[in-house]
Amino acid sequence: MRFLNEALLFILVPMKANQIALVTGGNRGLGLQTARELARLGIRTIVGARDLEKGAYAAALLETEGLDAEAVHLDVADPLTHTEVYSYLSRAITASSTS
């Protein structure tokens, strides 16, 4: 129940401009739905997926719904992808703070 309360609180809190969310496993199932709901709140959503092609497909699906989404290659078990995603997010944050 605590998780549900925290999730509801998150949804009810007014969102700031230029927010970015990284959703691991965002290319299918619960991860995709989480990405969709975050994007509906106006949050720029990054879909992290082990298979970049599947992640890109999921991001394109969200974009057809008029949502702001993009994909990155992320395998939580592979530290090399962590470094790449960190660099990607750093650039995204810098770009959003200057716009």
Side-chain angles (χ1 to χ4, degrees):
M1 188 63 155
R2 180 172 177 241
F3 175 76
L4 179 60
N5 290 338
E6 290 172 0
L8 291 173
L9 176 63
F10 175 76
I11 292 170
L12 295 174
V13 172
M15 298 292 123
K16 297 178 185 176
N18 298 328
Q19 286 189 319
I20 299 172
L22 170 65
V23 180
T24 60
N27 60 299
R28 63 188 185 95
L30 191 55
L32 178 58
Q33 188 60 33
T34 300
R36 178 178 284 114
E37 295 302 324
L38 290 168
R40 284 181 179 161
L41 291 172
I43 298 171
R44 181 177 170 193
T45 304
I46 314 294
V47 173
R50 287 185 302 229
D51 182 329
L52 183 55
E53 188 175 313
K54 290 179 181 177
Y57 179 82
L61 176 66
L62 296 175
E63 287 177 337
T64 65
E65 298 173 23
L67 303 171
D68 187 8
E70 51 200 279
V72 294
H73 176 231
L74 175 61
D75 183 344
V76 295
D78 181 359
L80 291 176
T81 65
H82 302 181
T83 303
E84 294 169 9
V85 171
Y86 179 83
S87 296
Y88 183 89
L89 290 174
S90 293
R91 289 190 304 273
I93 291 167
T94 301
S96 76
S97 66
T98 59
S99 58

